[in-house]
Amino acid sequence: MAKPFTLTQLRYFAVVAELENMTAAAARLSVTQSALSTAMGQLEVSLGTQLFVRHRSRGLRLTQSGRQFAQDIKSFLEHADSLYESARGLSTTLVGELRVGVFTPLAPFRLPAILQTFEARHPGVDVSFLETDLATLQEALMDGRCDVALTYGLGLGRGFTYKVVERVPPHVLVHEGHPAAIRPEREIALKELDGEPSVVLDLPHTREYFEQLYAMAGVVQNVRHRFAGYETVRSFVAKGHGYALLNQRLHSDVTYSGGKVVPLTLTDNFPPIEVMLVRPEGVQATKRVLAFEETCLTLYGAERT
């Protein structure tokens, strides 16, 4: 027996669920607000469940059922688009929106090249980014604000599936006048820096990862400054305010402050950080998500897990 709702209602719902605002959704869909409200009411009756909580002052908020339904219909709507194109003999070129989350320190290192390659392959896909911290990325994936996220695997909770893009070992950053900076081999053990002041990249989960490395080396941190910005840390190191433990290496040793930094390879046997593509478990990936993942894996020689 056919279910009493229409594909149009599902498409309307997807937009309303994304915006959580009936007026904005009606404008995007080019329909009247009353027609959209009626369609959403009919959909709720057909499904026998409440999809939204309606607030006079705050607009709409998805219920738990609504949030799950929004996740479930993503791949269905994409498949419907594919059937339409196939029936008309159209190109299989990917089209539509792709919302990508990215961990802030990774964004300048990886996103420009990824987007350039992805857009060359799939020019019909409209990509938007949410750049934020690790905890917020997990929330955004679960509530549907992101389809996939490029992030560190640190603190990754249950309910996610992932693919490892690369493993990035930690390194030490010192200013160009530091005694270790002139070493021909550009190597150092963390224990050699015991007692020296450090500049810390102070982000949730990243902070705990570096604390783990200090504990493994038997070194007590002598923290001089803490910053949430990657380039701020580099700039303070360049001016001689301390050394830093970091993972991602820039191509340039010049910092925003004008000073220079020197990266040193750690001789300690420290665990690397895993850069991952993460998405919610149990949600079928769209073709756009799979294409984005393939681009990342191709560019960075991934291990597939």
Side-chain angles (χ1 to χ4, degrees):
M1 178 178 176
K3 300 300 180 184
F5 55 76
T6 68
L7 184 59
T8 297
Q9 288 174 340
L10 296 184
R11 294 191 190 283
Y12 283 3
F13 169 75
V15 176
V16 176
E18 176 189 349
L19 300 177
E20 290 191 321
N21 185 292
M22 198 71 74
T23 302
R28 178 184 291 187
L29 292 164
S30 299
V31 299
T32 65
Q33 186 171 338
S34 60
L36 184 58
S37 181
T38 298
M40 292 302 92
Q42 291 171 344
L43 181 61
E44 287 181 313
V45 171
S46 298
L47 294 172
T49 189
Q50 186 176 359
L51 300 173
F52 305 99
V53 176
R54 293 159 175 82
H55 299 281
R56 185 179 299 276
S57 59
R58 293 185 294 152
L60 302 174
R61 293 293 181 271
L62 286 170
T63 63
Q64 183 60 42
S65 296
R67 190 173 296 111
Q68 184 61 53
F69 190 58
Q71 288 282 353
D72 292 342
I73 66 171
K74 283 182 180 179
S75 58
F76 172 81
L77 290 176
E78 179 170 275
H79 184 59
D81 290 338
S82 297
L83 287 174
Y84 174 76
E85 291 184 351
S86 177
R88 295 190 60 194
L90 299 177
S91 168
T92 57
T93 300
L94 295 181
V95 295
E97 294 182 342
L98 176 65
R99 297 168 296 181
V100 178
V102 60
F103 182 39
T104 298
L106 281 173
F109 297 95
R110 297 289 180 257
L111 277 191
I114 291 172
L115 183 60
Q116 182 181 38
T117 302
F118 183 81
E119 287 187 330
R121 295 177 176 179
H122 309 288
V125 178
D126 181 18
V127 185
S128 62
F129 295 104
L130 171 64
E131 180 185 347
T132 186
D133 60 72
L134 295 170
T136 304
L137 281 179
Q138 294 189 39
E139 294 173 2
L141 286 167
M142 294 305 290
D143 65 24
R145 283 177 288 154
C146 293
D147 303 308
V148 63
L150 181 67
T151 181
Y152 287 163
L154 302 174
L156 187 63
R158 295 182 178 181
F160 297 98
T161 184
Y162 65 87
K163 296 177 182 178
V164 176
V165 176
E166 59 180 329
R167 291 182 168 88
V168 185
H171 66 277
V172 164
L173 207 65
V174 297
H175 65 92
E176 61 179 342
H178 192 282
I182 61 174
R183 294 180 180 181
E185 68 280 8
R186 294 285 178 90
E187 293 181 343
I188 197 169
L190 187 56
K191 191 71 174 178
E192 296 180 62
L193 298 168
D194 200 357
E196 292 193 25
S198 64
V199 184
V200 175
L201 181 62
D202 195 21
L203 295 170
H205 303 301
T206 302
R207 179 193 316 120
E208 289 76 14
Y209 166 74
F210 289 129
E211 289 174 351
Q212 175 192 3
L213 303 189
Y214 278 103
M216 291 176 64
V219 175
V220 178
Q221 283 183 280
N222 178 19
V223 179
R224 187 172 183 181
H225 298 291
R226 295 180 181 272
F227 297 107
Y230 203 93
E231 184 56 32
T232 307
V233 171
R234 295 178 74 250
S235 293
F236 269 72
V237 170
K239 292 300 184 181
H241 294 287
Y243 71 93
L245 272 181
L246 296 171
N247 285 82
Q248 299 291 334
R249 294 198 185 199
L250 270 69
H251 296 297
S252 174
D253 293 335
V254 179
T255 67
Y256 285 179
S257 64
K260 291 185 178 181
V261 291
V262 178
L264 304 174
T265 300
L266 280 162
T267 59
D268 306 81
N269 186 25
F270 288 148
I273 279 182
E274 293 183 324
V275 179
M276 296 178 172
L277 290 159
V278 180
R279 47 187 165 87
E281 192 173 41
V283 177
Q284 184 175 351
T286 66
K287 291 181 180 179
R288 293 182 293 273
V289 167
L290 295 176
F292 182 83
E293 290 181 345
E294 184 62 30
T295 297
C296 294
L297 296 171
T298 300
L299 279 175
Y300 295 107
E303 300 177 42
R304 306 186 183 210
T305 61

